[in-house]
Amino acid sequence: MAQRPVAAHQAAVGVTMAAISAVDLAIWDILGKSVNKPVFKLLGGRTKERIPCYYSKLYRTDLKAMQEEAQKFLDQGFKAFKMRFGYGPAHLQEGVRENLRSVEAVREVIGYDCDLMLECYMGWNLEYARRMLPKLEKFEPRWLEEPVIADDIDGYAELSRLSSIPISGGEHEFSLYGFKQLLDKKAVSVVQYDTNRVGGITAAHKINALCEAFSVPVIPHAGQMHNYHLTMSTLASPMAEYFPIFDVEVGNELFWYIFDGEPVAENGFLQLRDDVPGLGLTLKTEYLDQFRIVE
């Protein structure tokens, strides 16, 4: 089956859906504040006492530095970690060995009583992923994330059939219908939509229900408060992704610098308060002089 052209597909819907998502998030925040309830209560209420979260960093650097980082957050009580691969098909067999060394190095620190997730960020192709999967099975990863380009749905489905390692994805999917296609084809074992891209909380709530019907877990892409409200309110979400405070980078840690109210993980768990309405965020002003807004 022909796949959707990636550039054309993302250009057609990506920017538009991001804009719709932003408006939708604002509306849910306003709704919560208007009735003095947190958003998760508007979505159905609390489904878990607190939210388990996984430490999502561990970019491929020096292996000793990765191990020290993993140990630091293991000591803080985290029981789940996600690491990134640094090598792909262009690095040939040497890159394969380096990828395996990095997984082994992290497992040496966290052991096998903790979950380990592996992130490819679409940096592999189907042939390379086929070769890597059998080599990774001994490390017992909870999932392998975005091994191939997002629009290669048949490739995801093939990899899901090929190995016992669950394949995850969805952060570059933009519609409810796209997720139904992923689920119908059994292409992913874990869905990771991005609330900022699918149409906001309204659309994400529908995707949660769809995934629950297919018995496929949902773990939204990135941390951020709107994802925590969605995770708290659905049985389909067993945990949340979590980025702790770091020196700001474009993307994952930016929200710490522009919002007050983000929950800080304690012993690998997050908590949402019942007495804070809306999304529970206010704008932070102390770092405004460190950013430049470009129109």
Side-chain angles (χ1 to χ4, degrees), residues 69-87:
E69 183 181 345
Q71 185 65 59
K72 175 182 176 180
F73 288 91
L74 182 68
D75 292 342
Q76 291 184 20
F78 283 89
K79 296 296 185 184
F81 300 80
K82 186 163 76 178
M83 57 164 287
R84 276 74 173 170
F85 287 112
Y87 298 85

Side-chain angles (χ1 to χ4, degrees), residues 55-167:
Y55 174 73
S56 189
K57 200 72 176 168
L58 289 177
Y59 293 106
R60 175 58 199 261
T61 56
D62 173 76
L63 294 184
K64 182 172 174 36
M66 288 183 73
Q67 288 183 315
E68 290 173 351
E69 183 181 345
Q71 185 65 59
K72 175 182 176 180
F73 288 91
L74 182 68
D75 292 342
Q76 291 184 20
F78 283 89
K79 296 296 185 184
F81 300 80
K82 186 163 76 178
M83 57 164 287
R84 276 74 173 170
F85 287 112
Y87 298 85
H91 301 100
L92 307 176
Q93 188 61 24
E94 180 182 0
V96 172
R97 289 196 297 271
E98 285 298 321
N99 281 336
L100 296 175
R101 286 192 190 104
S102 64
V103 183
E104 184 176 24
V106 175
R107 272 294 187 209
E108 281 181 5
V109 173
I110 69 171
Y112 283 81
D113 290 331
C114 292
D115 280 321
L116 178 61
M117 298 74 152
L118 309 177
E119 164 76 272
C120 307
Y121 200 73
M122 305 179 294
W124 296 356
N125 57 35
L126 189 56
E127 183 272 337
Y128 188 87
R130 286 194 200 102
R131 288 195 288 126
M132 286 296 299
L133 279 172
K135 301 177 189 300
L136 292 169
E137 286 184 341
K138 65 181 180 181
F139 298 110
E140 301 178 19
R142 179 153 179 172
W143 69 67
L144 182 73
E145 186 167 334
E146 286 198 312
V148 296
I149 199 74
D151 281 348
D152 186 7
I153 295 176
D154 289 337
Y156 277 84
E158 179 179 335
L159 294 175
S160 291
R161 291 191 299 268
L162 181 66
S163 172
S164 62
I165 299 175
I167 304 298

Side-chain angles (χ1 to χ4, degrees), residues 25-26 42 54 59 62 64 85 96-97 129 149 160 166 170 177 189 221-222 228 239 245 247 253 258 285:
L25 290 172
L42 302 183
Y54 68 88
Y59 293 106
D62 173 76
K64 182 172 174 36
F85 287 112
V96 172
R97 289 196 297 271
I149 199 74
S160 291
Y177 306 102
S189 296
H221 168 243
Y228 301 149
M239 65 167 60
I245 301 172
D247 290 340
E253 282 81 41
I258 59 177
T285 59

